[in-house]
Amino acid sequence: MTVLNPPIVPRKIYGLIWVVLLLLLLLNWGLAQLNLGPFNLVATLAIAFIQMMLMLLYLMHVRYNTPLTWVFVAAGFIWLVVMINLSLSDYLTRGAVAGRFGKSWIHETSVPPPVYLPKP
Amino acid sequence: MNATLPQTETLEIPKPPKRLLTYFEDGGRTVGSWLLTTDHKRIGILYLYSIVAFFTIGAIAAAIMRLELITPAGDLVTSDTYNKLFTIHGTVMVWFFLIPSIPSVLGNFVVPLMLGARDLAFPRLNLLSWYLFNLGGLLALYAIAIGGVDTGWTFYTPYSSTFTNTHVVTMVAGVFMAGFSSILTGLNFIVTTHKMRAPGLTWFRLPLFLWSNYATSVILVMATPVLAMTLVLLSIERIWGVGVFDPQLGGDPVLFQHLFWFYSHPAVYIMILPGMGVVSELVTCFARKPIFGYHFVAFASMAIALIGFFVWGHHMFTSGASVYSGLVFSITSYLVAVPSAIKVFNWTMTLHRGRIFLNTPMLYALGFIGLFTVGGLTGLFLAALALDVHVTDTYFVVAHFHYIMVGGMVTGFLGGLHYWWPKITGRLYPESLGRLAALIIFIGFNLTFFPQYVMGYLGMVRRYHAYAPEFQIYHVMSSAGASILGVGYLLPLIYLIWSLKHGKKAPANPWNATGLEWQTPSPPPKHNFAQTPIVTRPPYQYSAETEEHMVYG
Ligand SMILES: [Cu+2]
């Protein structure tokens, strides 16, 4: 059974993953020295993602495990996405108020001043 | 040539001993044999002792509060003491009673039995859970003893992190530890359900209690770490002044509420799903009918566990979260009502044309259905964004969650405790006293909490020890109800202890129920089953014809 007796991962793989992780760290540091505008963020996140996947799949043995384990790992991720996404539904719209009928959500600074009736 | 029949007599079949030692006898009767046990049944009973102790502490705090609230003036305790009292009540009842109540006591006892297993997957981890739980509980009690905490059970920032000078960090450390006990227990149940089902016990043959227990375990494992992290962040800010929630240090106080309720709303389902599971067992057994819509009830548990993670913002409609997020969370909160309603409708349809026995467990189950429905429907009031603004932080909210937590979970716990009591102890409890207590609890509960809906709607704010005189009539009713409720809770405590010595000996299956837990003697032997049972049928194959085998009736 794969669960009780997972295949022994050769040390070479561990070493290789470790070197790759360090190289990615170096790359991350290097990219941070360049000004790529918004792509700095994209690059950093992409590198972090790759590092995380390497750790999960090889160091945490997820790759050598049963589909059931994959389901649980995926559930953990989806759950984290839910947490961040729904929290952002608050943070990205703080101070925004509902637009007038037919308009969508607008920031309060762009809300037109109320229209008062002319004084008699 | 004569054909000879195979000589079956020569095969030696080892006969089981005449009477297997029960789990009380096997392994020793010493205190040490209990404190170092890895038997899930004994650990379940250890948990029972613990939660009864914590329930008593939480109940005493509630009793003092109800006594204070009889008069409009704050004359019994100071406002500071009152703040500490509701913090004790909330913290102890939520983390040291409700969350472990059904999963850790009844779940621990019956899950392996229902699965046809010898024990949980990780018996020693199970014992560790109990120690962590008690260590956390002792820390919390220590925090109370050295002066208490006045933040309320929610520990809202910035008050808890910056302003109060009570023992927040100690209390939070206790909750943190109890959280790890939750995680380990949940993990244990998940692995056990996946790996240790008896032959033939497929997922869709599982009793519904196991489905809801599984859903609860998933929440325990997924949500509790967030609570742990949040409490650590709170402590870091409080001790070292690292800015996480304090706006002056660049933090956001509402972030605490996001993180806290990301755990605590799903935790509400930790506190109700197991009760639903128990009720599913009781309704089908005492209506002598298979459950109506098995798959729907099973999937409703999973749906509640899933959708329960999408709704936490409904606790923050008035605390500075954006209007847009309020809209989102209002809609998702309505969604979670769907699987809950599915369960209620399915229980009702199970009762329909059943042969209904009004035994004590069934009285609790029927009480659960009614009280949970009231609590759930008023939850929809609170999920409505506009209406919530009106009733936020009033007794309406207090009444709502007590209908779920007490009317739901405590009622479910007592129902389950009575139902499995013959299995757990090998003794029958006195049935007429049981019915009487169930009735007293139902009346006392409603008298305590229904007036709170009314006064909350009229504007009585929660967490105040002095109030406007026009609310006194409701408070007096509520306090009167609380004393009836107290009697109702004391009764089972007394007669259940009495039954340990004087109750009639219970047969293996006093309810003539179908679950595997009833296929072994009461109380069960140490390893649960003489032979591993083999399951060949779906659960709940009840019929009205089997009723004459009921012990009571
Ligand atoms: Cu909630």
Side-chain angles (χ1 to χ4, degrees):
Chain A
M1 269 177 76
T2 40
V3 179
L4 294 178
N5 302 307
I8 295 158
V9 185
R11 281 205 191 152
K12 221 167 64 185
I13 299 247
Y14 285 127
L16 191 70
I17 298 294
W18 183 64
V19 171
V20 172
L21 283 174
L22 284 182
L23 285 177
L24 282 168
L25 181 68
L26 209 66
L27 182 67
N28 204 349
W29 176 80
L31 282 175
Q33 307 303 310
L34 307 171
N35 187 359
L36 302 174
F39 291 103
N40 273 114
L41 185 67
V42 176
T44 310
L45 286 177
I47 291 171
F49 183 78
I50 296 168
Q51 287 177 320
M52 177 195 72
M53 290 307 284
L54 287 175
M55 279 188 252
L56 265 176
L57 291 177
Y58 293 95
L59 302 188
M60 295 173 79
H61 292 194
V62 171
R63 209 198 125 172
Y64 312 108
N65 248 301
T66 55
L68 184 65
T69 313
W70 302 347
V71 168
F72 271 77
V73 171
F77 275 105
I78 293 166
W79 162 93
L80 191 65
V81 169
V82 166
M83 182 169 110
I84 292 170
N85 179 46
L86 281 174
S87 295
L88 285 178
S89 83
D90 170 21
Y91 284 100
L92 295 181
T93 59
R94 281 274 174 91
V97 291
R100 282 163 301 166
F101 184 72
K103 303 245 175 177
S104 116
W105 294 79
I106 44 178
H107 199 263
E108 60 184 354
T109 48
S110 58
V111 176
V115 185
Y116 297 108
L117 290 173
K119 278 183 182 152
Chain B
M1 197 170 108
N2 280 332
T4 48
L5 288 165
Q7 297 286 307
T8 46
E9 294 92 322
T10 53
L11 280 170
E12 271 194 39
I13 300 163
K15 277 187 184 153
K18 257 217 149 71
R19 194 184 74 86
L20 287 165
L21 289 176
T22 67
Y23 73 101
F24 289 121
E25 299 153 341
D26 199 343
R29 289 170 177 276
T30 57
V31 176
S33 76
W34 279 79
L35 291 180
L36 294 175
T37 183
T38 52
D39 183 345
H40 67 100
K41 299 181 286 298
R42 287 188 172 203
I43 295 173
I45 289 180
L46 291 178
Y47 266 112
L48 183 62
Y49 285 125
S50 304
I51 69 159
V52 168
F54 286 115
F55 181 85
T56 311
I57 293 163
I60 290 171
I64 302 172
M65 282 193 283
R66 281 313 334 159
L67 211 58
E68 160 65 65
L69 290 168
I70 292 175
T71 57
D75 39 19
L76 181 67
V77 293
T78 63
S79 46
D80 277 340
T81 310
Y82 190 81
N83 291 345
K84 287 172 183 173
L85 284 172
F86 66 67
T87 307
I88 294 171
H89 177 70
T91 314
V92 169
M93 287 301 203
V94 168
W95 281 298
F96 300 104
F97 173 72
L98 283 168
I99 286 184
S101 62
I102 292 185
S104 296
V105 177
L106 299 177
N108 239 323
F109 200 96
V110 300
V111 164
L113 287 165
M114 283 179 148
L115 286 168
R118 288 159 63 105
D119 207 315
L120 287 177
F122 308 116
R124 271 173 293 185
L125 200 65
N126 197 16
L127 184 66
L128 178 67
S129 293
W130 182 72
Y131 276 105
L132 281 176
F133 172 72
N134 283 294
L135 228 57
L138 287 177
L139 255 177
L141 292 185
Y142 173 69
I144 292 167
I146 58 176
V149 180
D150 64 350
T151 59
W153 75 281
T154 51
F155 307 117
Y156 269 14
T157 55
Y159 184 67
S160 61
S161 56
T162 313
F163 296 104
T164 179
N165 48 20
T166 52
H167 304 274
V168 176
V169 174
T170 318
M171 183 66 108
V172 155
V175 173
F176 180 85
M177 275 197 151
F180 275 89
S181 155
S182 287
I183 296 170
L184 299 182
T185 303
L187 194 71
N188 220 336
F189 283 145
I190 291 175
V191 177
T192 309
T193 314
H194 275 282
K195 291 287 165 201
M196 298 181 65
R197 302 191 307 274
L201 188 56
T202 57
W203 280 90
F204 291 112
R205 284 179 181 171
L206 287 181
L208 288 166
F209 178 73
L210 292 181
W211 273 101
S212 64
N213 188 69
Y214 183 82
T216 309
S217 307
V218 170
I219 304 177
L220 283 169
V221 172
M222 298 287 243
T224 319
V226 179
L227 173 77
M229 289 179 229
T230 312
L231 297 179
V232 167
L233 288 175
L234 169 65
S235 305
I236 287 176
E237 180 170 303
R238 194 170 160 83
I239 301 171
W240 292 295
V242 178
V244 183
F245 306 118
D246 184 355
Q248 279 194 318
L249 301 170
D252 175 32
V254 180
L255 179 63
F256 178 85
Q257 296 184 28
H258 275 297
L259 295 173
F260 181 83
W261 288 112
F262 183 82
Y263 160 79
S264 283
H265 186 85
V268 168
Y269 294 116
I270 298 173
M271 294 180 250
I272 192 67
L273 271 170
M276 293 169 155
V278 169
V279 168
S280 300
E281 298 293 317
L282 301 183
V283 161
T284 160
C285 175
F286 292 95
R288 311 312 293 173
K289 261 182 72 190
I291 191 100
F292 183 88
Y294 172 89
H295 288 82
F296 279 93
V297 182
F299 280 121
S301 293
M302 299 309 287
I304 287 173
L306 182 73
I307 304 173
F309 276 107
F310 307 158
V311 304
W312 78 85
H314 62 215
H315 296 272
M316 303 162 59
F317 287 162
T318 60
S319 52
S322 77
V323 183
Y324 175 78
S325 81
L327 190 82
V328 171
F329 283 117
S330 187
I331 293 168
T332 52
S333 302
Y334 270 85
L335 279 182
V336 83
V338 176
S340 309
I342 287 175
K343 285 188 181 259
V344 172
F345 288 133
N346 281 290
W347 294 326
T348 316
M349 280 308 288
T350 309
L351 294 173
H352 179 64
R353 296 201 162 179
R355 169 80 175 87
I356 292 171
F357 286 80
L358 291 178
N359 290 99
T360 310
M362 185 58 155
L363 291 182
Y364 282 115
L366 294 175
F368 179 102
I369 297 174
L371 299 177
F372 172 75
T373 304
V374 174
L377 288 177
T378 49
L380 289 179
F381 287 41
L382 294 163
L385 185 49
L387 186 55
D388 180 73
V389 175
H390 175 67
V391 288
T392 282
D393 274 340
T394 68
Y395 268 78
F396 192 88
V397 179
V398 176
H400 155 68
F401 68 74
H402 280 89
Y403 265 75
I404 303 285
M405 313 277 87
V406 184
M409 189 65 159
V410 179
T411 305
F413 174 70
L414 286 171
L417 190 65
H418 283 82
Y419 179 62
W420 283 302
W421 188 255
K423 182 57 60 186
I424 294 172
T425 63
R427 300 284 182 161
L428 300 176
Y429 61 87
E431 180 64 28
S432 45
L433 266 175
R435 289 180 190 175
L436 180 71
L439 199 67
I440 291 176
I441 287 173
F442 186 79
I443 293 168
F445 173 82
N446 280 296
L447 186 59
T448 310
F449 293 106
F450 201 82
Q452 298 190 358
Y453 277 128
V454 181
M455 66 172 138
Y457 196 80
L458 293 175
M460 174 70 213
V461 190
R462 68 191 285 203
R463 295 183 168 174
Y464 276 53
H465 80 316
Y467 55 88
E470 67 254 38
F471 295 119
Q472 188 177 15
I473 175 73
Y474 305 109
H475 274 301
V476 168
M477 282 162 81
S478 191
S479 295
S483 48
I484 297 176
L485 194 57
V487 173
Y489 287 147
L490 218 55
L491 260 178
L493 190 69
I494 294 167
Y495 69 68
L496 287 180
I497 292 172
W498 174 87
S499 78
L500 288 178
K501 257 208 146 50
H502 308 285
K504 271 187 268 176
K505 287 235 191 276
N509 191 357
W511 312 113
N512 200 20
T514 57
L516 282 182
E517 77 270 31
W518 303 106
Q519 311 293 314
T520 191
S522 310
K526 189 176 182 189
H527 292 301
N528 296 347
F529 299 94
Q531 287 115 4
T532 305
I534 294 167
V535 181
T536 53
R537 299 188 303 172
Y540 311 126
Q541 298 294 302
Y542 288 108
S543 61
E545 291 80 63
T546 57
E547 68 198 40
E548 70 270 19
H549 301 295
M550 302 262 290
V551 165
Y552 313 106

